[in-house]
Amino acid sequence: MLLGCDAFVTPTSTDLFSFHAFGNLAKWFNEWVTEYSEISEGNLAQWRSYSSDISSKTRTLRLLGHEGRGLQYLGYTTLEYVKKKANGQEQLVGAFERFRGKFDHEAQRIGESLGHSREKYLLGHVPHMHSMPATAQDVHAPIADLQSKDGVRGTQLNQRKGYADKIDQVAALVLERMEG
């Protein structure tokens, strides 16, 4: 499916399962790019034996160096975990923070396997929205459009606004990276 994309983003959660899945992606991309490049280069050599002008055939290939059409990895997001509060201060949870700090290394591996590198791949932390996604699904509306009539009350209205603002920031960064 990714061969049909210009770019992609990986959503993650800060847990062991997501970390291992993310690491597997990095490994698979490295293997996949090598295999795909070898097969494509073989096809290009075969096509050249029939015609010296193969530019029309290379336009659809996802190969580095062929009109810059390689698949682009834009980065990843992490789902915020629910933090406890003590004396009005959020308390970080060590296990989640240990995993959160490891994702960027795997993101670097994905980017490098696709032939590009960024200093930072993290697009942002997506807030945990408790029951709001279920409410949004129930009323067939995006979280950002939920209103009191949909069952959203009190502090949920502020959470909804914070969520929408954060998603807007992530979306703006995705667009910037796609255009840049």
Side-chain angles (χ1 to χ4, degrees):
M1 180 187 315
L2 287 175
L3 283 177
C5 299
D6 292 325
F8 71 101
V9 170
T10 48
T12 66
S13 182
T14 49
D15 58 32
L16 182 62
F17 177 77
S18 289
F19 175 69
H20 284 302
F22 204 59
N24 284 337
L25 278 176
K27 179 181 174 236
W28 293 333
F29 270 107
N30 204 20
E31 293 169 1
W32 171 76
V33 167
T34 300
E35 185 176 325
Y36 181 74
S37 294
E38 289 170 358
I39 291 169
S40 297
E41 289 300 333
N43 286 335
L44 290 171
Q46 189 69 24
W47 294 336
R48 281 188 194 101
S49 69
Y50 297 106
S51 172
S52 60
D53 181 17
I54 61 169
S55 62
S56 64
K57 292 200 178 279
T58 62
R59 272 189 226 118
T60 59
L61 295 177
R62 297 290 179 177
L63 287 174
L64 298 172
H66 291 275
E67 299 184 32
R69 296 194 184 278
L71 178 63
Q72 186 181 10
Y73 178 52
L74 301 176
Y76 68 99
T77 61
T78 61
L79 179 64
E80 279 289 340
Y81 60 90
V82 179
K83 296 177 182 129
K84 296 181 181 186
K85 289 190 177 189
N87 299 324
Q89 298 287 324
E90 285 186 342
Q91 302 297 306
L92 300 179
V93 177
F96 288 117
E97 293 301 317
R98 277 191 299 279
F99 286 117
R100 180 184 281 177
K102 294 179 179 182
F103 281 88
D104 205 56
H105 173 72
E106 299 302 326
Q108 291 285 342
R109 287 180 51 209
I110 293 171
E112 288 168 5
S113 72
L114 295 172
H116 51 85
S117 185
R118 295 184 188 287
E119 189 175 311
K120 184 178 174 186
Y121 279 93
L122 178 64
L123 294 164
H125 302 293
V126 177
H128 188 280
M129 296 306 293
H130 306 281
S131 64
M132 227 177 287
T135 302
Q137 290 170 349
D138 189 43
V139 299
H140 305 284
I143 290 174
D145 291 347
L146 291 176
Q147 300 174 4
S148 296
K149 69 180 175 105
D150 300 321
V152 179
R153 305 276 185 265
T155 60
Q156 288 181 321
L157 294 169
N158 290 335
Q159 287 176 334
R160 178 206 62 202
K161 169 97 172 80
Y163 174 83
D165 290 346
K166 190 61 168 176
I167 293 300
D168 286 346
Q169 290 170 8
V170 169
L173 191 49
V174 165
L175 182 61
E176 178 184 310
R177 289 183 180 181
M178 285 184 75
E179 293 175 340

